[in-house]
Amino acid sequence: MPERVTWYAAVPIAKRDDGWVTCDYTQAIECESAEEAVQIAARMAGKPGYSAAVAFSIAPEMDWD
């Protein structure tokens, strides 16, 4: 049976000049763990030009047949 893999990442969110917010995927960082993703997102949110950041995980569905 194949191993199930989970990826973790942090992505900063910037406020645009027109008032909308957008993820800055050019600054996304892949992380080793959920804890690391949360810590990096917290640091990203405090950087100039960003108003927030998101830490998330992805566990892709696998076809086990």
Side-chain angles (χ1 to χ4, degrees):
M1 185 178 283
E3 181 180 342
R4 187 174 202 142
V5 178
T6 301
W7 289 275
Y8 304 95
V11 180
I13 299 173
K15 187 172 183 181
R16 299 185 330 188
D17 292 338
D18 61 5
W20 287 83
V21 293
T22 184
C23 292
D24 184 357
Y25 294 111
T26 65
Q27 298 299 313
I29 297 177
E30 187 174 347
C31 304
E32 295 284 326
S33 67
E35 293 80 16
E36 181 185 24
V38 170
Q39 291 171 355
I40 290 174
R43 287 196 305 263
M44 287 176 165
K47 287 186 175 182
Y50 297 119
S51 56
V54 176
F56 65 93
S57 65
I58 299 172
E61 293 298 321
M62 299 184 79
D63 183 20
W64 299 101
D65 294 331

